Amino acid sequence: MNPYRQYMYSYPHKTAYRTLTGVRLEMYASCLSGAGHGLYLHLPFCRTKCGYCNLFSVTGQDHTQIDRYLEAAERQSGQYEQILAPYGSRFSEVVIGGGTPLLLEEEQLERMFRMLERHFSYTDERELVIETSPGETSRTKLEILKQAGVTRVSMGIQSFSDEELHTLKRKHSAQKARKALALMKEYAFPCVNVDFIYGIPGQTADSVLNSLKEAVAFEPEEIFLYPLYIKHGAGLQKEMKKGMVLQPGEALLQYREASAYLRAEGFRQDSMRRFVRSTQGRKYTECSLGTSLALGCGGRSYLGNLHYCSPYTITREGCLAQLDRFIHMEDFAQITHGIVLSEEELKRRYVIRHLLIRPGLCLSGYRELFGTCVEEDFPILKDWKIKGYVCTDDTFLTLTETGLELSDDLGPRLISREISEKMEEWEHRNGQI
Ligand code: SF4
């Protein structure tokens, strides 16, 4: 059995989105009334493309091209500001992701933060989150983040083994990552989060543990542990064709040892991927659980039953074409690509997004929201109880430890037939099957 079928970080997947007509942001803006929403800014620029990456990001964009992107994002922010004005929208979390946001030069970073402050309103306890990478983490850029009030910095380290980084086609060295992490710790951000990957060809449980031991010594507030996926146009697919193989059985053993180690070190495990130092009493809003508005090109907005973004693309040409379209866009309120979820799909999304994250799915919360019983709606959950994948204390339905390690196999089983068909159709069209 392969427990690594699909990472269900959101539902439905972007490959199930299609062309929309007659939809405008104004029609859904009331979803952003009052306080408590997420704002996401996508900066799709990277110095090099990692071998496993199939995110919306491009390499080789110069200063002027990034400036033009920021100009477009500013125009978009201005239009959104006007649309949201009657609703008193206040955002409680801003996430700046990519891409590699810190690839921006200092003045561009400052301009970006000014833009976010100028056009949007926030709650007092706003979280400001930014992703970085070891190669782009300098003292001057960290100063800018500190000045801007960043509360959480996330760095993709992936491994402290140069050999494994080479296999992943990550261009930074382990030593560079150590230095960047040490520098980041100097600035005492409220939360530093580091990402690691297991299941890398040639990797062993011991080498995963060695990387994690080094990471723990830096005392990050959070560690994310990702199984390696090579999908949808990732560069490493070429290596797979030449004989590189992923070994899910080995990856599972690595996961078990790594997760046991982190728990023993005092990290609380919140999902298959997320480990939080238990001294952290921090509230955490997982990406895409609530209402969220995206800026830039490639990020997703979640407004009630409407999810939308630019069309999903896995090629450099496709990304460049989307970027060009974004830079020349005049009317950012027109929504042309996405999905409007039915009640049934909203239920599926709710189950997927809550069950895979601790403390789990609140039974009364589901009933209050949908007026039905989750186990009647999804009889498969009763089956999972019998198999020992989920348990309940009558308040929450929670994944057991066995269920947790099978998250990427259980989650996809909750995808509806209609969404599966759309995803398969996209894959056929894009030559992935
Ligand atoms: S994985 Fe992240 S850093 Fe690497 S190419 Fe993709 S977006 Fe850029």
Side-chain angles (χ1 to χ4, degrees):
M1 186 191 71
N2 181 0
Y4 305 109
R5 286 206 290 146
Q6 193 181 334
Y7 176 21
M8 301 289 291
Y9 67 92
S10 184
Y11 178 80
H13 192 271
K14 282 180 185 177
T15 51
Y17 292 10
R18 294 293 181 271
T19 302
L20 295 174
T21 49
V23 182
R24 293 191 57 81
L25 179 58
E26 290 88 336
M27 294 156 65
Y28 286 84
S30 63
C31 294
L32 292 160
S33 293
H37 314 288
L39 187 64
Y40 175 72
L41 170 61
H42 193 71
L43 295 169
F45 309 108
C46 291
R47 203 167 287 285
T48 57
K49 195 83 173 165
C50 305
Y52 51 90
C53 178
N54 64 354
L55 302 174
F56 186 94
S57 75
V58 290
T59 57
Q61 300 286 290
D62 63 20
H63 181 87
T64 311
Q65 287 164 312
I66 296 178
D67 263 352
R68 288 172 71 203
Y69 183 83
L70 290 177
E71 275 157 28
E74 180 107 42
R75 290 203 310 278
Q76 181 184 35
S77 299
Q79 290 182 18
Y80 285 7
E81 180 186 6
Q82 284 193 356
I83 293 168
L84 297 182
Y87 301 99
S89 307
R90 283 186 300 136
F91 294 91
S92 54
E93 186 182 55
V94 184
V95 178
I96 302 159
T100 310
L102 288 205
L103 194 68
L104 269 58
E105 289 172 15
E106 283 85 359
E107 58 171 280
Q108 292 173 323
L109 278 174
E110 283 167 340
R111 174 182 181 179
M112 173 197 78
F113 284 121
R114 277 198 305 274
M115 172 188 93
L116 291 171
E117 295 301 335
R118 186 178 305 136
H119 295 289
F120 301 98
S121 303
Y122 303 98
T123 57
D124 292 341
E125 70 288 1
R126 172 189 79 173
E127 292 279 359
L128 181 52
V129 182
I130 193 161
E131 293 171 2
T132 182
S133 80
E136 315 300 337
T137 307
S138 68
R139 204 172 271 286
T140 38
K141 288 184 182 175
L142 290 176
E143 292 283 356
I144 293 170
L145 304 195
K146 202 70 191 169
Q147 286 289 322
V150 165
T151 56
R152 174 185 166 108
V153 188
S154 173
M155 186 189 283
I157 292 178
Q158 320 314 359
S159 167
F160 278 120
S161 150
D162 282 329
E163 212 176 312
E164 290 163 12
L165 290 170
H166 180 73
T167 303
L168 293 172
K169 296 191 189 295
R170 280 292 306 214
K171 293 297 183 233
H172 69 261
S173 65
Q175 191 53 15
K176 186 100 186 164
R178 288 181 192 108
K179 282 190 176 159
L181 192 47
L183 189 61
M184 226 155 74
K185 287 296 294 183
E186 274 184 41
Y187 284 82
F189 293 101
C191 179
V192 167
N193 144 231
V194 285
D195 297 344
F196 285 86
I197 293 181
Y198 62 95
I200 303 167
Q203 194 178 29
T204 62
D206 277 350
S207 76
V208 178
L209 287 178
N210 287 341
S211 284
L212 292 179
K213 282 176 189 165
E214 275 210 52
V216 167
F218 283 98
E219 301 187 338
E221 280 68 31
E222 297 189 11
I223 294 181
F224 275 73
L225 207 50
Y226 291 93
L228 177 63
Y229 276 97
I230 301 175
K231 288 195 166 191
H232 295 333
L236 282 176
Q237 278 192 323
K238 279 192 202 135
E239 313 300 319
M240 304 273 283
K241 283 185 190 137
K242 287 189 220 153
M244 178 190 265
V245 277
L246 296 182
Q247 295 189 308
E250 179 63 27
L252 184 58
L253 293 177
Q254 291 170 9
Y255 162 82
R256 283 180 183 158
E257 291 213 22
S259 56
Y261 165 72
L262 290 175
R263 289 192 302 263
E265 284 294 321
F267 283 80
R268 185 189 74 214
Q269 184 168 5
D270 279 3
S271 72
M272 189 179 111
R273 289 168 172 80
R274 181 173 184 244
F275 298 82
V276 182
R277 263 219 329 256
S278 358
T279 47
Q280 285 285 108
R282 297 165 60 82
K283 180 176 78 63
Y284 178 71
T285 46
E286 180 110 354
C287 164
S288 84
L289 258 183
T291 304
S292 180
L293 182 68
L295 299 170
C297 183
R300 268 196 259 207
S301 296
Y302 302 94
L303 302 180
N305 63 347
L306 172 71
H307 296 183
Y308 67 93
C309 67
S310 52
Y312 185 57
T313 175
I314 54 173
T315 62
R316 177 174 166 78
E317 299 70 41
C319 289
L320 288 173
Q322 295 292 345
L323 271 182
D324 191 59
R325 189 170 158 266
F326 176 74
I327 282 167
H328 293 101
M329 202 174 276
E330 287 181 5
D331 181 3
F332 292 94
Q334 199 175 358
I335 296 163
T336 56
H337 194 80
I339 191 165
V340 178
L341 300 184
S342 64
E343 175 88 349
E344 193 218 314
E345 297 297 2
L346 286 171
K347 286 180 174 180
R348 284 184 188 278
R349 175 175 170 77
Y350 188 94
V351 174
I352 290 168
R353 299 297 295 127
H354 288 83
L355 187 61
L356 303 183
I357 301 165
R358 297 236 162 105
L361 190 153
C362 175
L363 297 166
S364 61
Y366 181 94
R367 190 182 281 282
E368 260 170 47
L369 201 57
F370 299 109
T372 51
C373 164
V374 69
E375 291 185 56
E376 298 303 322
D377 288 345
F378 297 92
I380 196 171
L381 296 175
K382 291 182 189 162
D383 186 40
W384 290 356
K385 256 200 228 167
I386 294 164
K387 289 185 168 136
Y389 301 154
V390 294
C391 57
T392 183
D393 60 359
D394 291 335
T395 305
F396 287 98
L397 206 55
T398 308
L399 286 180
T400 60
E401 216 163 288
T402 308
L404 207 58
E405 70 181 27
L406 295 177
S407 294
D408 285 11
D409 178 49
L410 298 179
R413 295 196 218 172
L414 292 165
I415 301 174
S416 71
R417 180 183 297 234
E418 195 189 340
I419 294 296
S420 287
E421 284 173 0
K422 285 187 166 169
M423 291 167 69
E424 281 166 23
E425 190 267 328
W426 185 95
E427 302 244 354
H428 275 293
R429 210 164 5 103
N430 288 277
Q432 298 297 307
I433 288 179

